[in-house]
Amino acid sequence: MFREKVPADWLPKVMTNLPAVLVDHAHLERKAATSALNLEKYRDLFTRVEELNAIAIEELQHFQLVLDLLKRRGIPFGQPYPSPWIAGLMKSVRSGQRHQVIDHLICCSLIEGRSCEKFQVLAKELKGVDAELAAFYGSLVESEGNHYATYLLMAKGIDEAETSRRLDFYLELDSKLIREPNPLPMLH
Ligand SMILES: [Fe+2]
Ligand SMILES: [Fe+2]
């Protein structure tokens, strides 16, 4: 689906900074939970509130799992750093009722999709290096993949043609943004 590969310097940066990446991951799951809740403000999603709650609960459970990992490893929870990639996507969310909800859903979908993709890469790379972390990332892949699909289907359920147009726009934007260097050890 994505038009641009994750840059080659991402994986070594993450592998050599795993404690910081785990703290970033904790915040990513926290933000994923709040994003699911934030989507509940849109009129077009009032009928999907329970599904969104279910996603928020799942993300909160992921957040707790990362916190447990941090504790077991003696890594202190720390401050969040903004992701230029996520900020770049969200900056292009248009205002106007229907435009906003569709753009917001597509952004959430792409964030989940990139997480799913990167967790898969990490699960593979960590095998033999850190079995516990490898298994952990492997266990999250399906869930984030489902979130990606659910958000996209929610957008299509509101307006299929508009969603296709905007998905095209956002995939182009993603290809540009993902190539911009981010020296911080972050998932996104
Ligand atoms: Fe998650
Ligand atoms: Fe997710």
Side-chain angles (χ1 to χ4, degrees):
M1 193 252 315
F2 290 109
R3 297 173 184 175
E4 183 72 29
K5 285 199 186 97
V6 174
D9 62 351
W10 174 79
L11 188 57
K13 180 184 77 175
V14 167
M15 292 296 288
T16 50
N17 291 284
L18 285 173
V21 169
L22 282 169
V23 173
D24 176 61
H25 184 179
H27 284 291
L28 184 69
E29 300 291 357
R30 177 185 59 76
K31 286 184 273 183
T34 57
S35 291
L37 295 175
N38 283 334
L39 287 167
E40 296 176 352
K41 70 185 176 195
Y42 297 112
R43 182 187 299 271
D44 284 304
L45 292 174
F46 286 172
T47 57
R48 320 294 297 258
V49 158
E50 289 183 354
E51 281 169 87
L52 289 165
N53 268 350
I55 293 178
I57 289 167
E58 220 172 282
E59 302 292 19
L60 209 49
Q61 285 166 341
H62 294 171
F63 179 29
Q64 186 59 50
L65 287 173
V66 186
L67 288 177
D68 294 344
L69 249 170
L70 290 177
K71 196 174 277 179
R72 274 204 300 285
R73 292 176 177 227
I75 303 165
F77 186 53
Q79 79 173 102
Y81 294 92
S83 153
W85 176 75
I86 292 178
L89 291 178
M90 292 300 293
K91 222 165 50 192
S92 295
V93 172
R94 300 164 298 172
S95 54
Q97 207 173 65
R98 195 146 269 199
H99 285 165
Q100 194 179 348
V101 63
I102 286 175
D103 287 2
H104 200 163
L105 279 167
I106 293 173
C107 285
C108 288
S109 171
L110 293 193
I111 294 165
E112 297 288 336
R114 282 293 191 190
S115 292
C116 176
E117 176 191 36
K118 287 174 170 175
F119 291 177
Q120 243 167 321
V121 171
L122 278 177
K124 189 167 161 235
E125 190 70 16
L126 284 161
K127 235 179 237 173
V129 179
D130 188 327
E132 186 196 34
L133 261 193
F136 177 59
Y137 279 108
S139 74
L140 294 178
V141 168
E142 192 186 344
S143 170
E144 311 304 6
N146 285 338
H147 299 157
Y148 152 76
T150 301
Y151 286 146
L152 205 53
L153 284 172
M154 283 181 178
K156 286 182 176 170
I158 296 168
D159 188 331
E160 177 136 29
E162 181 66 7
T163 298
S164 298
R165 269 195 298 275
R166 291 303 282 173
L167 182 60
D168 183 63
F169 166 83
Y170 274 107
L171 286 173
E172 280 308 302
L173 182 60
D174 163 76
S175 327
K176 279 189 209 95
L177 292 172
I178 202 159
R179 283 187 303 234
E180 280 175 23
N182 176 5
L184 289 176
M186 298 174 74
L187 285 163
H188 295 310

